[in-house]
Amino acid sequence: MKYCWRMVIVVTFMMFLAIASSAPSAAQCKKERRLAINACKSVLYGRLPSPSCCQRIRVSHIKCICSVITPKLAALIDVNRFIKLIEGCGRRVPHHFKCGSLTIP
């Protein structure tokens, strides 16, 4: 019985480490945001996202992007266009998802 509990503790600890190690650092988030801005600049001018922009959308950590969406920035975002762009790049946006100060309908 002791062996079983030890195994549970070890597995739980390993899962915790895996989750903790997958969380991006502040420096990683800053780099991801810079890469996303550079890859997706054309979208700001009304164009469709480029293949490199879509790739960046698919691989970026959502926490890195959502952490900078303030109420002031959220007021400038057309939520429906935002969702279409993200989903058009192959990333799912769940209903009622909260991203910074933006709530997805």
Side-chain angles (χ1 to χ4, degrees), residues 2 22 36 39-40 52-53 58 62-63 65 75:
K2 284 184 181 182
S22 67
C40 298
S52 62
C53 176
R58 287 190 296 271
I62 195 73
K63 289 182 180 183
I65 306 301

Side-chain angles (χ1 to χ4, degrees), residues 19-105:
I19 292 168
S21 67
S22 67
S25 68
Q28 288 171 318
C29 277
K30 186 175 180 179
K31 181 180 178 184
E32 280 193 21
R33 285 192 299 267
R34 183 178 45 78
L35 290 170
I37 289 168
N38 289 335
C40 298
K41 278 183 184 175
S42 64
V43 174
L44 297 173
Y45 301 109
R47 296 189 184 119
L48 294 174
S50 66
S52 62
C53 176
C54 281
Q55 175 62 21
R56 178 54 40 200
I57 287 171
R58 287 190 296 271
V59 300
S60 292
H61 289 92
I62 195 73
K63 289 182 180 183
C64 293
I65 306 301
C66 290
S67 66
V68 295
I69 299 185
T70 62
K72 196 173 189 177
L73 182 58
L76 301 173
I77 296 173
D78 177 356
V79 178
N80 293 323
R81 184 168 185 261
F82 179 72
I83 293 168
K84 285 179 186 177
L85 287 171
I86 292 172
E87 290 182 341
C89 287
R91 190 158 189 179
R92 192 176 150 275
V93 180
H95 292 289
H96 309 293
F97 179 72
K98 186 141 175 74
C99 181
S101 297
L102 190 67
T103 302
I104 307 302

